[in-house]
Amino acid sequence: MNTEAELTHSITLRDAAEALGVHYMTAYRYVRLGQLPAEKVAGQWRIDPADLAALVASPAPEEPLSLETATADLLDALVSGDEVAAWRIVSNVDLDPARVHTELLGPAMARVGQCWSRGELSIADEHQATSVASRVIGRLGPSFSRAGRKRGRVILGAPENDHHSLPCALFADLLRSEGLEVTDLGAATSARAFVEVTRRHEGRVVVVITATAALSDDVITTTVKELRNEWPDLPIAIGGHAIDSAEQADALGSAVWSASSRDAATRIAELAADR
């Protein structure tokens, strides 16, 4: 347990960034890489000035990768199954965890899918890349948790004929960063499973259906119908790569759609706060 004297002696990460003459997120990257020891106290990173002085005296940390280079390198690491290299790339890019998901991991996995569809990668390559990406997402997961009372609950899953769980995991973290409690049901979630889990919470949730497979519309419509049969006013958000317009989302019964996953997460959090 920290004593009052220890807390008084330490400084915030923002103060440390100013002392180093770098952006806050660059200082946060030093913490993630273990180059700057830090301890989280009451939801705020605290730095011992002695550790800050040691960093200043040490050789300059490696410059962060550009996003273009990081995406290309990450694609290679994912396809080759090199989790160590994938984690090093993720750790050495100057992005906050949410941007790692939306601007690095998500696009890299989209490229894996495109390469597979063109016959440039085998199904084994695609599975190996997905496995490594899943482990990287798992390691990043704690970065998305917010202390304090949750704003609401979300039930998240892919439609029954959609076997992609990675988009669910990525979006679940973005929702958690909004202070939501998330139940991620993953890929191929049946209408019955959505209804059963929603019933456990007496309908006081927002249901999110994330569709990557292009053949999901009929299954989504059935799921929405079964949910709304029991809870007519239940807010349901439908999105993902297979939903490319607000008109398509609206026709399927979605209360929310956005081309930006971060914007969608914010809007879903607003809906959940009213439940």
Side-chain angles (χ1 to χ4, degrees):
M1 180 177 294
N2 300 93
T3 66
E4 185 175 344
E6 287 172 331
L7 290 177
T8 302
H9 179 64
S10 65
I11 62 174
T12 68
L13 184 56
R14 194 166 300 281
D15 289 338
E18 290 179 4
L20 291 167
V22 300
H23 189 274
Y24 173 84
M25 289 313 304
T26 301
Y28 176 66
R29 181 170 63 86
Y30 296 162
V31 172
R32 285 208 331 259
L33 293 174
Q35 295 167 331
L36 178 60
E39 183 179 5
K40 197 167 241 186
V41 179
Q44 185 177 57
W45 289 108
R46 306 290 301 191
I47 313 294
D48 188 319
D51 290 324
L52 180 62
L55 177 64
V56 171
S58 67
E62 185 180 352
E63 286 298 309
L65 297 171
S66 71
L67 185 56
E68 182 179 2
T69 299
T71 303
D73 289 352
L74 181 60
L75 178 62
D76 290 340
L78 294 173
V79 172
S80 64
D82 191 341
E83 183 181 350
V84 173
W87 181 249
R88 184 170 61 248
I89 293 161
V90 167
S91 298
N92 197 40
V93 68
D94 199 8
L95 300 173
D96 62 55
R99 290 182 66 197
V100 167
H101 274 20
T102 59
E103 298 178 32
L104 182 57
L105 271 168
M109 284 305 300
R111 289 193 191 180
V112 169
Q114 292 162 4
C115 290
W116 173 78
S117 67
R118 293 194 297 261
E120 298 168 4
L121 294 176
S122 69
I123 190 64
D125 293 327
E126 191 273 340
H127 279 272
Q128 183 163 258
T130 300
S131 177
V132 173
S134 296
R135 291 197 291 274
V136 171
I137 291 168
R139 292 177 71 172
L140 284 170
S143 303
F144 291 90
S145 296
R146 282 177 45 173
R149 184 178 178 181
K150 300 302 180 184
R151 298 174 64 187
R153 178 178 289 275
V154 169
I155 309 299
L156 168 70
E160 191 165 12
N161 63 346
D162 189 329
H163 298 278
H164 297 86
S165 61
L166 206 63
C168 292
L170 288 167
F171 195 57
D173 278 341
L174 296 183
L175 292 168
R176 291 185 183 104
S177 73
E178 293 286 342
L180 296 170
E181 188 76 30
V182 181
T183 299
D184 180 4
L185 300 178
T189 303
S190 67
R192 181 177 179 180
F194 273 115
V195 170
E196 180 182 334
V197 177
T198 301
R199 187 180 292 127
R200 292 175 188 171
H201 302 284
E202 300 177 350
R204 295 197 297 270
V205 300
V206 175
V207 171
V208 176
I209 302 172
T210 175
T212 302
L215 302 177
S216 298
D217 282 18
D218 289 344
V219 176
I220 292 172
T221 299
T222 298
T223 300
V224 170
K225 181 179 179 180
E226 292 198 22
L227 285 163
R228 293 246 168 88
N229 279 343
E230 191 154 346
W231 303 280
D233 298 324
L234 178 71
I236 300 172
I238 304 168
H241 289 303
I243 312 297
D244 57 13
S245 69
E247 291 75 16
Q248 182 187 4
D250 184 66
L252 291 169
S254 179
V256 170
W257 184 85
S258 174
S260 161
S261 55
R262 294 188 74 170
D263 177 61
T266 299
R267 294 171 64 185
I268 289 167
E270 292 168 356
L271 285 175
D274 293 334
R275 299 300 291 167

XYZ file of all heavy atoms in Angstrom, residues 170-211:
318
model
N -12.150 -7.201 -30.704
C -11.656 -5.836 -30.885
C -12.690 -4.812 -30.429
O -12.378 -3.862 -29.698
C -11.307 -5.592 -32.357
C -10.047 -6.283 -32.891
C -10.019 -6.219 -34.416
C -8.788 -5.649 -32.324
N -13.957 -5.010 -30.848
C -14.984 -4.028 -30.506
C -15.349 -4.105 -29.025
O -15.674 -3.086 -28.406
C -16.221 -4.231 -31.376
C -17.164 -3.060 -31.351
C -16.727 -1.799 -31.713
C -18.477 -3.214 -30.952
C -17.579 -0.705 -31.682
C -19.335 -2.130 -30.919
C -18.888 -0.872 -31.285
N -15.281 -5.300 -28.448
C -15.560 -5.431 -27.019
C -14.614 -4.570 -26.199
O -15.017 -3.921 -25.220
C -15.451 -6.895 -26.587
N -13.335 -4.528 -26.598
C -12.378 -3.687 -25.876
C -12.723 -2.203 -26.015
O -12.609 -1.434 -25.047
C -10.960 -3.938 -26.393
C -10.308 -5.164 -25.769
O -10.789 -5.603 -24.708
O -9.329 -5.664 -26.333
N -13.137 -1.770 -27.204
C -13.524 -0.372 -27.377
C -14.723 -0.027 -26.495
O -14.791 1.061 -25.917
C -13.858 -0.090 -28.842
C -12.715 -0.240 -29.846
C -13.199 0.141 -31.244
C -11.509 0.603 -29.460
N -15.660 -0.953 -26.368
C -16.814 -0.732 -25.500
C -16.388 -0.665 -24.037
O -16.880 0.168 -23.268
C -17.845 -1.850 -25.698
C -18.555 -1.863 -27.057
C -19.327 -3.171 -27.224
C -19.488 -0.671 -27.208
N -15.449 -1.508 -23.637
C -14.963 -1.475 -22.254
C -14.265 -0.155 -21.958
O -14.328 0.353 -20.834
C -14.019 -2.654 -22.012
C -14.730 -4.012 -22.015
C -13.798 -5.152 -21.653
N -14.498 -6.427 -21.732
C -14.362 -7.312 -22.722
N -13.494 -7.059 -23.706
N -15.052 -8.425 -22.737
N -13.592 0.406 -22.965
C -12.922 1.688 -22.747
C -13.928 2.810 -22.510
O -13.565 3.869 -22.000
C -12.031 2.035 -23.947
O -12.794 2.415 -25.075
N -15.206 2.577 -22.865
C -16.274 3.541 -22.614
C -16.918 3.324 -21.241
O -17.906 3.981 -20.908
C -17.349 3.423 -23.702
C -16.897 3.832 -25.089
C -16.755 5.330 -25.244
O -17.325 6.069 -24.411
O -16.078 5.765 -26.196
N -16.353 2.415 -20.456
C -16.880 2.168 -19.116
C -18.042 1.207 -19.078
O -18.826 1.212 -18.122
N -18.165 0.346 -20.082
C -19.273 -0.598 -20.148
C -18.847 -1.984 -19.682
O -17.689 -2.382 -19.833
C -19.795 -0.697 -21.589
C -20.406 0.579 -22.165
C -20.650 0.408 -23.655
C -21.700 0.934 -21.449
N -19.809 -2.715 -19.132
C -19.632 -4.133 -18.836
C -20.037 -4.886 -20.091
O -21.147 -4.718 -20.601
C -20.523 -4.547 -17.661
C -20.271 -5.950 -17.152
C -19.010 -6.059 -16.324
O -18.631 -5.058 -15.679
O -18.403 -7.143 -16.332
N -19.135 -5.718 -20.620
C -19.389 -6.371 -21.905
C -19.383 -7.886 -21.752
O -18.455 -8.465 -21.188
C -18.324 -5.964 -22.948
C -18.627 -6.636 -24.299
C -18.275 -4.450 -23.108
N -20.431 -8.517 -22.263
C -20.468 -9.972 -22.400
C -20.256 -10.285 -23.873
O -21.123 -10.004 -24.708
C -21.815 -10.550 -21.933
O -22.012 -10.231 -20.550
C -21.844 -12.059 -22.106
N -19.090 -10.821 -24.201
C -18.739 -11.123 -25.588
C -19.058 -12.593 -25.866
O -18.371 -13.487 -25.385
C -17.256 -10.831 -25.813
C -16.802 -11.107 -27.240
O -17.653 -11.461 -28.092
O -15.594 -10.972 -27.515
N -20.100 -12.833 -26.649
C -20.508 -14.194 -26.983
C -19.726 -14.761 -28.159
O -19.838 -15.950 -28.460
C -22.009 -14.221 -27.291
C -22.921 -13.757 -26.150
C -24.376 -13.779 -26.595
C -22.729 -14.617 -24.916
N -18.962 -13.912 -28.848
C -18.079 -14.392 -29.894
C -18.778 -14.731 -31.198
O -19.852 -14.224 -31.510
N -18.134 -15.634 -31.962
C -18.609 -15.979 -33.305
C -19.829 -16.887 -33.262
O -20.096 -17.562 -32.259
C -17.486 -16.667 -34.081
N -20.574 -16.890 -34.384
C -21.671 -17.830 -34.617
C -22.636 -17.913 -33.432
O -22.941 -18.987 -32.928
C -21.105 -19.213 -34.941
N -23.117 -16.769 -32.984
C -24.039 -16.707 -31.850
C -25.474 -16.846 -32.353
O -25.929 -16.050 -33.179
C -23.891 -15.382 -31.084
O -22.530 -15.238 -30.665
C -24.797 -15.348 -29.872
N -26.172 -17.824 -31.867
C -27.545 -18.057 -32.306
C -28.488 -17.012 -31.715
O -28.189 -16.384 -30.691
C -28.008 -19.452 -31.880
O -28.107 -19.520 -30.465
N -29.641 -16.849 -32.365
C -30.671 -15.959 -31.828
C -31.066 -16.403 -30.432
O -31.273 -15.573 -29.531
C -31.880 -15.943 -32.761
N -31.157 -17.702 -30.233
C -31.535 -18.244 -28.922
C -30.533 -17.828 -27.853
O -30.917 -17.481 -26.730
C -31.618 -19.767 -28.997
C -32.015 -20.434 -27.699
C -32.133 -21.931 -27.882
N -32.493 -22.600 -26.625
C -32.656 -23.911 -26.507
N -32.497 -24.698 -27.566
N -32.971 -24.440 -25.343
N -29.231 -17.851 -28.192
C -28.209 -17.465 -27.212
C -28.316 -15.979 -26.878
O -28.219 -15.589 -25.709
C -26.823 -17.791 -27.749
N -28.524 -15.139 -27.900
C -28.711 -13.706 -27.642
C -29.891 -13.485 -26.693
O -29.802 -12.696 -25.736
C -28.962 -12.958 -28.955
C -27.723 -12.511 -29.671
C -27.398 -13.039 -30.920
C -26.889 -11.548 -29.123
C -26.265 -12.610 -31.593
C -25.752 -11.112 -29.790
C -25.434 -11.657 -31.038
N -31.006 -14.167 -26.969
C -32.210 -13.994 -26.146
C -31.960 -14.480 -24.718
O -32.325 -13.809 -23.747
C -33.400 -14.741 -26.772
C -34.587 -14.785 -25.801
C -33.817 -14.074 -28.084
N -31.319 -15.636 -24.583
C -31.098 -16.216 -23.252
C -30.242 -15.300 -22.378
O -30.572 -15.061 -21.204
C -30.423 -17.577 -23.391
C -30.142 -18.259 -22.057
C -29.435 -19.589 -22.217
O -29.576 -20.223 -23.284
O -28.736 -19.997 -21.267
N -29.157 -14.776 -22.934
C -28.267 -13.928 -22.135
C -28.937 -12.587 -21.844
O -28.806 -12.044 -20.736
C -26.916 -13.727 -22.852
C -26.015 -12.790 -22.054
C -26.222 -15.064 -23.042
N -29.687 -12.058 -22.804
C -30.414 -10.798 -22.568
C -31.447 -10.983 -21.466
O -31.644 -10.098 -20.622
C -31.088 -10.328 -23.868
O -30.081 -10.141 -24.872
C -31.833 -9.021 -23.667
N -32.097 -12.131 -21.443
C -33.110 -12.407 -20.423
C -32.490 -12.445 -19.035
O -33.118 -12.040 -18.043
C -33.805 -13.739 -20.736
C -35.010 -14.031 -19.826
C -35.670 -15.356 -20.179
N -36.307 -15.291 -21.492
C -36.086 -16.158 -22.480
N -35.218 -17.144 -22.314
N -36.721 -16.039 -23.626
N -31.253 -12.920 -18.924
C -30.587 -12.964 -17.621
C -30.462 -11.574 -17.007
O -30.394 -11.433 -15.785
C -29.186 -13.572 -17.763
C -29.173 -15.048 -18.117
C -27.750 -15.518 -18.364
N -27.714 -16.869 -18.892
C -26.622 -17.468 -19.361
N -25.474 -16.808 -19.354
N -26.682 -18.692 -19.829
N -30.425 -10.573 -17.858
C -30.300 -9.193 -17.387
C -31.607 -8.433 -17.539
O -31.614 -7.191 -17.516
C -29.162 -8.499 -18.132
C -27.840 -9.190 -17.971
N -27.096 -9.085 -16.813
C -27.152 -10.023 -18.787
C -25.995 -9.816 -16.940
N -26.008 -10.392 -18.120
N -32.695 -9.187 -17.704
C -34.054 -8.631 -17.761
C -34.191 -7.552 -18.834
O -34.955 -6.596 -18.685
C -34.453 -8.081 -16.383
C -34.428 -9.157 -15.301
C -34.751 -8.614 -13.913
O -34.805 -7.379 -13.756
O -34.965 -9.434 -13.005
N -33.423 -7.704 -19.902
C -33.524 -6.768 -21.013
C -32.872 -5.422 -20.785
O -32.946 -4.553 -21.657
N -32.213 -5.234 -19.654
C -31.595 -3.933 -19.362
C -30.174 -3.885 -19.942
O -29.182 -3.702 -19.221
C -31.590 -3.680 -17.859
C -32.990 -3.532 -17.257
C -32.937 -2.889 -15.880
N -32.221 -3.705 -14.936
C -32.783 -4.638 -14.168
N -34.085 -4.868 -14.253
N -32.064 -5.340 -13.315
N -30.095 -4.059 -21.244
C -28.816 -4.117 -21.940
C -28.971 -3.462 -23.311
O -30.068 -3.121 -23.741
C -28.343 -5.582 -22.143
C -28.177 -6.302 -20.812
C -29.322 -6.344 -23.042
N -27.850 -3.311 -23.989
C -27.836 -3.022 -25.419
C -27.247 -4.259 -26.095
O -26.223 -4.783 -25.657
C -26.982 -1.787 -25.750
C -26.885 -1.594 -27.261
C -27.559 -0.544 -25.089
N -27.893 -4.747 -27.131
C -27.372 -5.888 -27.882
C -26.629 -5.359 -29.103
O -27.141 -4.507 -29.834
C -28.497 -6.847 -28.309
C -27.962 -7.914 -29.271
C -29.114 -7.516 -27.093
N -25.407 -5.855 -29.304
C -24.587 -5.450 -30.440
C -24.312 -6.681 -31.301
O -23.813 -7.694 -30.806
C -23.252 -4.825 -29.982
C -22.383 -4.498 -31.198
C -23.507 -3.568 -29.159
N -24.643 -6.588 -32.578
C -24.390 -7.666 -33.530
C -23.351 -7.163 -34.513
O -23.568 -6.176 -35.208
C -25.673 -8.068 -34.280
C -26.755 -8.507 -33.282
C -25.377 -9.192 -35.278
C -28.117 -8.750 -33.913
N -22.183 -7.813 -34.548
C -21.118 -7.394 -35.441
C -20.952 -8.421 -36.549
O -20.673 -9.595 -36.288
C -19.792 -7.183 -34.680
O -18.749 -6.888 -35.618
C -19.402 -8.376 -33.861
N -21.189 -8.010 -37.778
C -21.231 -8.926 -38.919
C -20.052 -8.701 -39.851
O -19.861 -7.604 -40.375
C -22.539 -8.741 -39.680
